Amino acid sequence: MSKSFYVTTPIYYVNDVPHIGHAYTTIAADVIARFNRLKGNKVFFLTGTDEHGQKIERTAEANGEKPIELANRVVKRFQNLSDALNITNDDFIRTTEQRHRISVEEIFKRVQESGDIYLSEYEGWYDVREEAFITETQLEEIQSLPEEKRPVIEKVKEESYFFKLSKYQEPLLKYYKEHPEFVQPSYRLNEVARFVEGGLRDLSISRTTFTWGIPVPGNPEHVIYVWFDALTNYITGVGFPSDEGMFEQNWPADVHLVGKDILRFHAVYWPAFLMSAGIPLPKTVFAHGWWTVEGEKMSKSVGNVVDPYQVVDEFGADVFRYFLLREIPFGQDGDFSKSAIVARVNGELANGLGNLVSRTLGMIEKYFDAKVPEPGNLTSEDEAVRDKALSAVEIFEKEMNEVAFHKALVSLWDFIADINKYVDESAPWTLAKEKNDERLSTVLWTIAQAIGVVTILIYPFMPESAEKVWIRLGSPDSLDSQHLIDAKKWGLIKAGQTVDKGESLFPRFDDK
Ligand code: ME8
């Protein structure tokens, strides 16, 4: 059997409830997963939670609960978010599960067997919020920041197991050169390579001053460093080490989707651990940009953290999904605001798409008793719509293959504008008045085909709305069973199908 397409999100810390940043990565991964299913690929999509480490232990302590109680409480918010956002993940991994402990112990042992782990002492600084050891250069950078912007760091001195990261400096650089697609967007690869060229020091991979983690095999005084633990989730989730069949079917991952904040862990540490353990490397780590809210960094102290559940309540999951991926080129930073959502809903969803669907289905109801008419001979104008549809599918596919969601949507909306223009120029209402039935049938049939194509293409982004339109077009098969290749078949919407105009798909916000 051919290998599945395997996509992952970061596993989120359970010290806090989800916000729109978490929703963003998960939605983007879902769009990638759905698009790949649309292409006919078998897909495995993993998300989950990162539940160990000093940060979780401290948050639990401050709340007067046990770390596992905190995790059990907060994990539900992440799991329920998948439902609220229509996420089609195949599994949800928690690092406190037994299967994960076995997997982390196994990879730790393999790295140890490669001679890459030694016991020594770590003396230096630690950033608990980032769960990261601070290098000399980073320390200098931190010290040069104005006081209010400096992260809280703590001095640590303890016995620690070290991973020989320095040994992997050259192999990593060689790997980046041979596999430039490993880190995307490409400008991020340059940043990573520059960091590695700057010199890699061995990495402390165990702690002794707290206990909330997976004990080092053979030395339970130490718990394994939370990033070593967390990164391993990507292989645990596909059956490592016990289910070889599942592992072969899915690993290596096709894309680890991450925010730019954690690229270094994924593009430097993770491949080094895997090289050491003799496990193949993921194909791509894609780092996306950062959302601010109304121009400001999201933070609890500012009190501007946006709750994704609230956005879904107010706008619906589809609008939220569309907005996040249309608003900014994937990879770059962007700003979240309700006024920006409203502008996109009114301009692109209500006016562009919603209006096209409702006026077309309304005319089929009115002039043809709600049955898609039989077409007559196609004129060059009708053929031009067909040709544009085919090229719209091709451009969409190309942009999506490059994870350029924003460009894929822009080009799709250009096609929607072309269809709207064709409707206006063909003026079916005039053809109806003139009783030109043959021309009227052909025009409405053509528009119905074009809407069918659009429906298949918006499906990864707006699954609920796409499903609704598909049903309103009277299609007998479910949208789930359609493939991208079907979108290239002109004539997908059959004459005689019964349409239903229904309620407005995307109500304008000033109308609500
Ligand atoms: O880092 N804009 O978990 P985390 C865009 N447990 N994306 C954002 C964002 C924002 N403002 N804020 C968060 C961890 N994200 C580790 C990961 S993986 C083996 C372990 C997203 O809960 C983005 O994907 O801090 C970022 O990388 C992730 O949430 C960090 O989530």
Side-chain angles (χ1 to χ4, degrees), residues 41-212:
N41 290 334
K42 198 167 181 306
V43 170
F44 194 82
F45 170 15
L46 183 71
T47 186
T49 41
D50 190 352
E51 305 189 355
H52 288 136
Q54 199 166 21
K55 172 156 77 173
I56 311 292
E57 189 180 88
R58 287 210 184 148
T59 310
E61 210 169 74
N63 292 343
E65 57 190 340
K66 294 201 180 101
I68 192 66
E69 289 167 351
L70 168 71
N72 287 342
R73 188 164 54 76
V74 177
V75 71
K76 292 200 191 88
R77 302 278 296 203
F78 281 96
Q79 288 170 330
N80 294 340
L81 190 63
S82 285
D83 294 334
L85 298 172
N86 260 316
I87 304 300
T88 55
N89 53 301
D90 295 284
D91 200 352
F92 186 102
I93 184 159
R94 301 182 57 183
T95 53
T96 47
E97 290 172 63
Q98 181 64 6
R99 61 170 169 162
H100 182 63
R101 185 180 175 132
I102 293 169
S103 167
V104 172
E105 286 172 352
E106 179 62 27
I107 186 172
F108 192 95
K109 282 187 210 149
R110 291 196 192 179
V111 173
Q112 215 162 22
E113 279 158 18
S114 296
D116 287 340
I117 292 181
Y118 61 91
L119 191 62
S120 181
E121 185 176 72
Y122 178 79
E123 183 168 8
W125 295 90
Y126 193 77
D127 180 337
V128 177
R129 212 177 72 89
E130 302 291 330
E131 294 281 15
F133 297 95
I134 305 295
T135 62
E136 301 289 311
T137 336
Q138 286 168 327
L139 187 64
E140 281 166 26
E141 280 165 15
I142 289 171
Q143 283 162 343
S144 69
L145 289 172
E147 208 175 321
E148 68 281 6
K149 290 208 166 149
R150 274 183 223 161
V152 182
I153 56 174
E154 295 172 11
K155 190 100 197 216
V156 175
K157 185 177 178 195
E158 61 192 59
E159 186 183 73
S160 176
Y161 283 97
F162 280 80
F163 170 69
K164 287 188 188 165
L165 185 62
S166 56
K167 178 176 151 188
Y168 290 92
Q169 178 166 348
E170 286 315 314
L172 283 169
L173 289 171
K174 183 162 173 271
Y175 193 82
Y176 303 150
K177 203 166 254 155
E178 286 168 4
H179 301 89
E181 74 293 346
F182 179 61
V183 175
Q184 288 181 38
S186 53
Y187 53 87
R188 297 268 175 225
L189 177 65
N190 299 338
E191 285 173 19
V192 170
R194 245 177 285 133
F195 172 80
V196 174
E197 279 160 9
L200 292 178
R201 302 198 29 199
D202 290 350
L203 181 71
S204 165
I205 51 161
S206 76
R207 304 285 312 270
T208 53
T209 42
F210 66 93
T211 55
W212 183 235

Side-chain angles (χ1 to χ4, degrees), residues 22-23 25 35 78 93 169 181 225 244 262 302 312 384 400 402 409 416 435 445 453 487 501:
H22 305 119
T25 320
F35 173 69
F78 281 96
I93 184 159
Q169 178 166 348
E181 74 293 346
Y225 175 40
E244 274 174 38
I262 55 173
V302 179
V312 171
M400 291 297 283
E402 293 173 11
L409 288 170
I416 292 173
K435 303 226 174 306
W445 180 88
V453 172
K501 181 176 173 223

